[in-house]
Amino acid sequence: MKKLLRLQNKRAVSEVIGYVLLVAITLSIAAIVFVSLKTFVPKDTVQCPEGITLTLSDNSCTYTDATGSTQVQLNLNFTNTGRFSIDGYFIRASSGSEPDLIIHPLDSFFVAFDTGERVENKIAFTPIAEGLKPNGKQHHRFVITGSENQELLVKKIGIIEIIPYQNSEQEDKPIICGNARVLERITCKDAD
Amino acid sequence: MQRRRLTRGISPVIATVILVAIAVSITLLAFTWSKALIPEQLTIGGKNIQLVCADVVFEATYTQGVLRIANMGNIPIYSIEMRRNLQGSYTTARIQNVTELQPGAIFTLTFTPDDAKSITLYPILLGSSNSGDQTFTCTEHGITITLQ
């Protein structure tokens, strides 16, 4: 009788170990599969919301050569006609009417007039914490001088490209609104 | 009689322990072996770099000998790989002068196409892995420019 009991006990133990092993192996395989596929789970991508619209109006561009040094003064009037605040923009210009040649960044020529501020390679609407609210307006000025930009100055600005951005709340970098890009033809006139 | 008892073998508990140890060892060996077969995963912000490639938005134009590449998305482009499509063949090279193209940034290059009929530009991203940062070319997200 004792022997029989012993045998039964042994069987029970081996069955439990069998189950434990099975569960352990299953968990290990599940863990390996999870770790290897974890990165493939799609995450929310940082992107600009629909409804960002920046409008330019009543712009002016004057070209002077009076003092012997060439100079282009560009006045841009921005209106936020979208549904969300815009924190700033990237600005580039073409030296001619060819849109494919918009290769000259203009941020370094920004002149802090009454609104706006240059932040690294972009221009921010002020106050920086608020940006340009819907229906808000701002006037920005760029004065382009210097021999390095002779090509741009001689041929004059043909098209300017404005790419709005919003500041990300989570990350310390701007969210580019490539879909809301503005291409504006500019006609520079000689100053009187 | 005593000898017989001794030759019975080890106790069931020890046998089970040994079996479990062997099973664990085999699992570890198999895991180490399979790890070498599976390529290391590159990620950007915890997301697999192959998925990040789909989020890259850039535009490229070639006019009057000037190649213009603009990053219009929110993923930094580490570099650009250029494939020159020749008559029935192609050559591939990384554009050396491209430093990381941050979102909104632009890169221009004066470039002569030689015999190329078209060029295809592929973004290269910098991902992180357990063994450090590595580059990855988004070969499925290139832009082809036909040259005149």
Side-chain angles (χ1 to χ4, degrees), chain A residues 17 36 45 92 102 176 181, chain B residues 16 41 55 59 68 74 104:
Chain A
I17 291 170
S36 57
T45 49
R92 289 188 277 266
I102 301 172
I176 311 298
R181 171 171 57 176
Chain B
T16 311
Q41 290 187 352
D55 299 332
E59 59 176 37
R68 172 186 179 271
N74 291 294

Side-chain angles (χ1 to χ4, degrees), chain A:
Chain A
M1 190 64 184
K2 274 184 180 177
K3 205 175 182 180
L4 193 68
L5 271 172
R6 262 187 206 168
L7 271 173
Q8 279 175 343
N9 279 342
K10 278 178 191 170
R11 268 185 193 168
V13 168
S14 75
E15 269 179 29
V16 170
I17 291 170
Y19 284 126
V20 167
L21 278 174
L22 275 176
V23 171
I25 291 165
T26 313
L27 285 177
S28 316
I29 292 169
I32 291 166
V33 171
F34 174 74
V35 169
S36 57
L37 294 183
K38 187 176 67 177
T39 61
F40 282 98
V41 179
K43 290 183 177 177
D44 289 338
T45 49
V46 178
Q47 58 182 10
C48 218
E50 294 284 326
I52 292 272
T53 314
L54 194 60
T55 308
L56 286 164
S57 57
D58 302 325
N59 307 309
S60 68
C61 180
T62 51
Y63 175 74
T64 53
D65 197 14
T67 57
S69 63
T70 46
Q71 178 176 299
V72 172
Q73 184 171 309
L74 182 65
N75 293 294
L76 302 175
N77 293 302
F78 293 95
T79 308
N80 183 352
T81 49
R83 292 185 283 123
F84 301 98
S85 289
I86 299 169
D87 290 301
Y89 58 91
F90 292 84
I91 181 164
R92 289 188 277 266
S94 72
S95 50
S97 58
E98 182 60 67
D100 287 350
L101 285 173
I102 301 172
I103 56 174
H104 303 280
L106 293 185
D107 53 277
S108 58
F109 304 111
F110 177 75
V111 178
F113 185 54
D114 51 358
T115 52
E117 188 179 322
R118 186 183 176 211
V119 181
E120 293 171 0
N121 60 341
K122 49 197 183 293
I123 309 299
F125 291 113
T126 49
I128 286 179
E130 292 178 13
L132 189 65
K133 289 183 174 177
N135 297 319
K137 294 180 181 205
Q138 279 194 21
H139 169 241
H140 289 183
R141 178 179 289 174
F142 297 83
V143 177
I144 304 151
T145 54
S147 57
E148 288 175 15
N149 304 284
Q150 283 304 316
E151 187 193 10
L152 183 64
L153 292 165
V154 170
K155 292 184 182 175
K156 299 179 186 177
I157 296 169
I159 300 172
I160 55 165
E161 178 191 61
I162 307 278
I163 303 168
Y165 73 83
Q166 283 190 318
N167 286 326
S168 168
E169 287 172 12
Q170 289 89 24
E171 299 170 50
D172 186 27
K173 60 181 183 183
I175 302 167
I176 311 298
C177 305
N179 291 337
R181 171 171 57 176
V182 180
L183 287 175
E184 188 84 4
R185 287 198 179 273
I186 297 287
T187 308
C188 291
K189 293 173 182 171
D190 289 330
D192 296 329

